[in-house]
Amino acid sequence: MAGIAALKGTVKHYDWGGSDFIPGLLLTDNKEQKPFAEYWLGAHPQAQCSIAWPDGTTTGLNEYLGQHAAAFIGEKVLKQFGHIPYLLKILDVKDMLSIQVHPSKKEAERDFAEENNRGIPLDSPQRNYKDDNHKPELMVAMGEFWLLHGFRPVAEMKQVLTDTPELAFLLPVFDKERYAGLYKKVMTLPQEEVNRSLQPLLDRILPVYKSGSLPKSSPDYWAAKASVTFPGTNGAIDRGIFSVYLFNLVQLNKGEAIFQDAGVPHAYLEGQNVEIMASSDNVLRGGLTTKYIDVPELLKHVKTEATHVQVLKGDTAGEETVYKTPAPDFELSAFRLAAGAATAFTASSAEIIMLTSGEALAVAEGEEVLLQKGQLAAIISAGTRVVLQTKTRAVIFRAAVPV
Ligand SMILES: [Zn+2]
């Protein structure tokens, strides 16, 4: 292969996914209406990507990289990370995801080794750490997108605890013990007390939610939706509903982005996005889930402090908008091209480009890949200069490594 080849990713059918959006991009028919939650592109073992050659044959990406890693990834990134360090995804969130937090690099290395020492199998449901990597995440909204992101600043926290009578009992806890005490309280409250607080709340908000008169800008809307999505077993109300009120409720518009660093609790609520992250699967959960929750482990990693939400609009130079973050593992940018446009860039390491609307031709060193619905992505080797040409308007995301 010269510098560029068509790339095919893998669909993840998690039950929270929508059934139309990703099939529409991949031109896959979905008569059974299966959930298409995520589309993965990268060298992560679970991404199972393949290179699609012009003659119609395919080669597994990791198999190919096994033989051509140095030339493909570039010496510098290969030396620093040993592989392609990022994972690029499209997400279609129909039902909210679990509340989660990701460990820092240092914590992941220490705690992954510790679980290995304790002999917990990698595929055990009791396993917290799947690898020794951190998982900072950046997402760009493809339309209106809603999420929970970090704890509300002090004044807003007091306001929401005052405005929600069923949660007023938490106000003195917050006044005295701030974020650490407040979060520990809700995460360790006996289940009967969780029910005693949340049942009257749900009794009050569910009829309003069902009548359709709650706006999405109200945490009541998402708390009610959460109780419908996660009804709980044996009458136990999911304590994650507390967090819907404690965290910042953020609305992003198309093209806006947000970065989630280690320790920032978050939950995606609804919408479609393009997401890039360090190649890792380390997730600690804090509710709104049927999966394993390890509360002491979660409390160890959550940054118990206020988060002042920073919506990123990106830095635009020419047709490329770069969403800068402190993560060393990735850099995401978007080309928003007019019809008949041509623009060029040079890949600094192994890069993946992914089309999300329109159609574009990517040309490099005598090879070309037509990016269109059904063939969204291409992979580019380090040092390759790529020209993007369009006949229609097009949006193309570029996943790179900052070097
Ligand atoms: Zn996450």
Side-chain angles (χ1 to χ4, degrees), residues 100 102 135 137 266:
Q100 53 188 255
H102 307 298
K135 191 172 176 265
E137 295 171 329
H266 57 279

